Amino acid sequence: MSTPAVEKFLDQPGTSLVLPAVGNGPVEPGRHDRVLVSCADRGALRALVVPAGVRTAVVGLHLEGGPVPVTMLAKPAWPALQGIHARAAGDGWLTVLRFERPVEVAEVVAEAGRQSVWGDTVGNRGLWVGGVDAVSEKVPADVLPGGMAAMVVSEITGRTPAASSSPVGPLSLGPLDERVLNPIGFVAATASDVVSLSSLDLRDGPTEGLVASLRGAAGVRIDRSDAGDARVLAGLAMAGVPLVPDVTGGLSPALAGILGSAVADAIAAPVDLADALAREEHSLVLRRVALDTFSTRAWRAAVASSVGVRVAAPPATSVVLATRRADMLDFALRQVAKQRGVEALELVLAPHGFSVDEGQVRAALPTTVALTVVARAEETPFGDVLAAAASAASGDVVLKMDDDDWYGADVVVDLLRARDYSGAEMVGMPAEMHYVAERDLTVKRGHPSEGYARFVAGGTMMVDRGLLREVGSFRSVRKFVDAQLIAAVTAAGAAIYRTHGLGYVLRRNASGHTWEVDLDYLLDPVRVERTWEGFRPSRLLEHDPAERP
C-alpha cells in the first residue's frame, strides 16, 4: 500500500528495490541505493524471508498496520547505524535505517522482526524448513515442501532433506506466530455485543490489527461455513478472542476438519458471553488448545515428528516448594502432583525446620515427577531456604509455589505458554482470586491480566534459571522474599509478564503469611470485583474435594 511517506522514500535519485517482489521473478543479489520492505504488520515482517545477497545502506521498513513502528538496535558486527527515523505512513508506519556502509537486508529484516517483540531468541527451534527459513547450501534444509524436494544427500547433514507432503488438518494452516497472535491485551470485562464473522474484513488474514479491533467485543459468532476462514479463526483463537458457533450443532465439518477436533470442541462449548467470568474461562480453554495446535512451536514440533527430525523440546520446569508447616505438606504435594501437560517436571522440596520421609513424599507424586529434598534448619532465613532449593534445581525454569495456595492442573503449562508468547524472563499470575478463611469468602479482585507488569503473585513466579543465578538467586531475607526477587529481575532489565489468574487461589488465613495485609484493605469494594460465600474458585481450578478448606 503506497503512502506519501513511502513514495517520498522511493522517489529519490539512485536505484530502489521493493520487497517482497511481486510478479517480477526471483530477486537477484546486488547492491541498491535503498531497499523498501513492505509488510502488513509485525507478523508478516517476522515471517518474511529475504533472499541473501541484497545489500544497501538505507533500509525502509514499512508496516501497513500495527500499534507502533519498527525500531531496533543494530547488531555489533554490522556497519554502524547512523540514523533511524520513524514516522506515520497512512494507517501504518515507515522506519528508515541509515547505515555507515551497505548491509545484508536479509539480516536487517530478520533482526527487525525479532526486535519487534520482546526477547525473541528461539529462532527456528532447530528445524530448518525450506520456504519458511533462510536455508542455503551452507545451512541446508531438514524439510522441503514436496515441490522443492530434491533427492540429493547433503554433505553437511549426511542425509536427504525430508519432503513434506501436502498437509491436511491443522498443519495445512502453516505456522501462526504466537509472538504476535496471542492473548496479550485481552479485555476481561466488556459491555459490547458479539460480532458476526461475516461482518469482518478478513482479506489480510489474522493480523494484529484485526485482533485489536475485536478486543472490546464480547466475542465473534461464526455465522458461515467457509473453510477459507480457518486460518483467521485459528489466529483469533490463539489471541483469546472468544469464538462461538452460529448454531448449537457446532462448526461445519469442513471447518472442524481443518481446525482439529480439540479447537472445534472448545469453540462449540456452551457459554454465556454476558457473564465476564464465563467468557474469560471460554477464552482461556480455547486459547490453550489453539496455541498448542497452531503456534510456531506446535507447528515445528508436528512437522519434525512427521519426518523424524529432532527439534527443541519445551523447557524443563523445577518447582521450588519451601514449607515450615508439616501439616500443609500433603496439601502442597497434591498441587504439584496434579500438574499435567508438562514434559519434564521436577519438585525441589525444602522442609524448613522439620524433616520429611522422602519415601512418603515420593509416593505422593507421579513417577514422572523428579524429586529432590533440601532440608534446612528452622533458624535459616526464608530467602536462604529458597536459594538452596533453587541451587539444587536442574530445570531450565524455576517456579516458586507456596504450600497453602490452590493451583489448577494447568498452572505450570499455562505459565510456560505465557513465557513462549510474551518472551518475558519472569512470568506469573495475578493474586486475582483469594479465599479469606476468617470470613469463609472467595474474592475476585479484578487485577489486570495478560500484560507486561511490575509484579506477579509470589506463589506463581516462574523465572529462567540462568537469570535467577545472575541476579543472585533469592535474597537472604526473612520476609518480602518475592518482592526482593521481582526487584532484582527488574533491575537486571528483564521483563515480567502477568498471565491469567483463574487457575490460582491465594489462601488468606488470620496469620502465618510473610505478606501481612489488613483484611479491610483486601475487601475494600474499590479493589473487589466480585465475591462468593464459601470456597468458589473458577471451574478451571479443577480441585479435589479433599483440598477444600
Side-chain angles (χ1 to χ4, degrees):
M1 180 184 298
S2 181
T3 70
V6 169
E7 292 175 0
K8 182 178 179 180
F9 174 78
L10 294 174
D11 189 20
Q12 298 180 55
T15 60
S16 298
L17 176 67
V18 178
L19 297 173
V22 179
N24 295 322
V27 176
E28 297 295 331
R31 179 172 170 176
H32 301 269
D33 290 303
R34 69 197 59 81
V35 173
L36 177 73
V37 179
S38 185
C39 297
D41 62 4
R42 292 183 302 165
L45 175 67
R46 287 167 53 77
L48 181 63
V49 178
V50 173
V54 177
R55 300 174 62 83
T56 186
V58 183
V59 181
L61 301 173
H62 175 222
L63 299 185
E64 295 177 4
V68 293
V70 174
T71 185
M72 65 182 297
L73 293 174
K75 300 189 77 170
W78 293 352
L81 177 58
Q82 297 181 323
I84 179 168
H85 184 204
R87 72 191 81 174
D91 293 331
W93 306 92
L94 174 65
T95 301
V96 178
L97 310 171
R98 298 183 184 276
F99 294 90
E100 181 183 26
R101 299 187 308 278
V103 294
E104 278 278 348
V105 176
E107 294 183 10
V108 174
V109 169
E111 189 62 25
R114 280 190 288 270
Q115 293 189 28
S116 70
V117 298
W118 178 267
D120 183 5
T121 58
V122 300
N124 56 26
R125 303 188 188 275
L127 181 73
W128 294 85
V129 182
V132 177
D133 302 312
V135 300
S136 64
E137 290 185 6
K138 293 183 178 180
V139 185
D142 293 306
V143 182
L144 288 171
M148 296 175 59
M151 301 303 291
V152 179
V153 176
S154 167
E155 294 182 359
I156 295 175
T157 64
R159 61 181 181 269
T160 302
S164 62
S165 57
S166 298
V168 296
L171 273 181
S172 67
L173 301 180
L176 289 168
D177 191 350
E178 63 268 37
R179 298 304 311 275
V180 176
L181 298 171
N182 56 51
I184 297 175
F186 176 79
V187 178
T190 177
S192 299
D193 295 331
V194 177
V195 302
S196 62
L197 184 68
S198 61
S199 69
L200 304 177
D201 184 354
L202 308 180
R203 288 174 295 179
D204 292 332
T207 64
E208 58 181 332
L210 177 62
V211 171
S213 72
L214 293 170
R215 282 299 183 209
V220 173
R221 189 172 304 281
I222 304 170
D223 60 341
R224 64 188 191 191
S225 302
D226 188 347
D229 294 334
R231 185 173 170 85
V232 170
L233 293 174
L236 295 180
M238 284 173 56
V241 175
L243 305 177
V244 293
D246 192 42
V247 294
T248 56
L251 300 179
S252 70
L255 265 180
I258 298 174
L259 293 173
S261 60
V263 174
D265 289 347
I267 292 173
V271 60
D272 177 9
L273 293 180
D275 183 312
L277 179 58
R279 175 180 174 271
E280 185 174 2
E281 291 170 339
H282 182 79
S283 165
L284 181 52
V285 171
L286 177 57
R287 73 180 79 149
R288 281 172 175 167
V289 294
L291 287 164
D292 290 350
T293 303
F294 306 115
S295 67
T296 59
R297 177 187 283 281
W299 183 84
R300 288 184 183 275
V303 170
S305 176
S306 70
V307 298
V309 175
R310 175 169 50 84
V311 72
T317 301
S318 293
V319 172
V320 167
L321 176 61
T323 177
R324 64 193 324 157
R325 294 176 282 208
D327 60 319
M328 293 302 298
L329 182 58
D330 288 344
F331 173 86
L333 291 176
R334 286 195 192 100
Q335 310 311 304
V336 178
K338 71 168 68 168
Q339 297 305 311
R340 62 192 176 198
V342 187
E343 290 195 12
L345 184 62
E346 170 189 49
L347 170 62
V348 183
L349 178 65
H352 190 186
F354 67 98
S355 59
V356 298
D357 183 325
E358 190 165 337
Q360 290 183 0
V361 174
R362 176 69 274 172
L365 299 171
T367 57
T368 53
V369 178
L371 172 65
T372 300
V373 177
V374 181
R376 285 297 183 267
E378 184 176 2
E379 63 271 15
T380 307
F382 186 45
D384 290 344
V385 176
L386 287 168
S391 295
S394 63
D396 302 303
V397 295
V398 173
L399 168 61
K400 176 182 175 286
M401 291 178 67
D402 288 346
D403 62 355
D404 59 345
D405 296 336
W406 287 269
Y407 295 83
D410 298 299
V411 161
V412 174
V413 73
D414 276 347
L415 291 171
L416 290 173
R417 290 187 186 104
R419 181 177 178 270
D420 268 355
Y421 62 71
S422 71
E425 293 83 358
M426 174 183 277
V427 295
M429 295 178 170
E432 171 77 348
M433 305 288 287
H434 290 245
Y435 174 70
V436 183
E438 289 181 77
R439 304 281 182 88
D440 188 26
L441 192 70
T442 300
V443 178
K444 188 175 188 294
R445 301 191 67 208
H447 281 307
S449 63
E450 296 302 347
Y452 296 94
R454 296 183 182 275
F455 68 94
V456 292
T460 68
M461 296 186 300
M462 175 182 281
V463 61
D464 292 5
R465 186 159 63 100
L467 175 62
L468 184 60
R469 182 178 60 251
E470 292 294 334
V471 301
S473 192
F474 293 94
R475 195 175 183 189
S476 181
V477 294
R478 295 192 177 277
K479 61 188 301 185
F480 303 140
V481 64
D482 303 331
Q484 300 298 305
L485 180 58
I486 289 173
V489 167
T490 302
I496 300 171
Y497 184 82
R498 185 192 298 156
T499 186
H500 75 91
L502 300 187
Y504 173 68
V505 176
L506 192 150
R507 187 195 304 253
R508 296 304 309 179
N509 293 321
S511 61
H513 298 281
T514 57
W515 174 55
E516 299 291 350
V517 62
D518 184 82
L519 198 59
D520 291 335
Y521 173 87
L522 191 64
L523 299 178
D524 184 343
V526 175
R527 298 179 175 86
V528 171
E529 180 179 289
R530 196 168 174 182
T531 62
W532 299 266
E533 295 292 333
F535 182 66
R536 288 281 305 278
S538 162
R539 67 179 178 87
L540 302 183
L541 193 77
E542 298 183 31
H543 62 285
D544 188 282
E547 299 171 24
R548 298 180 69 86

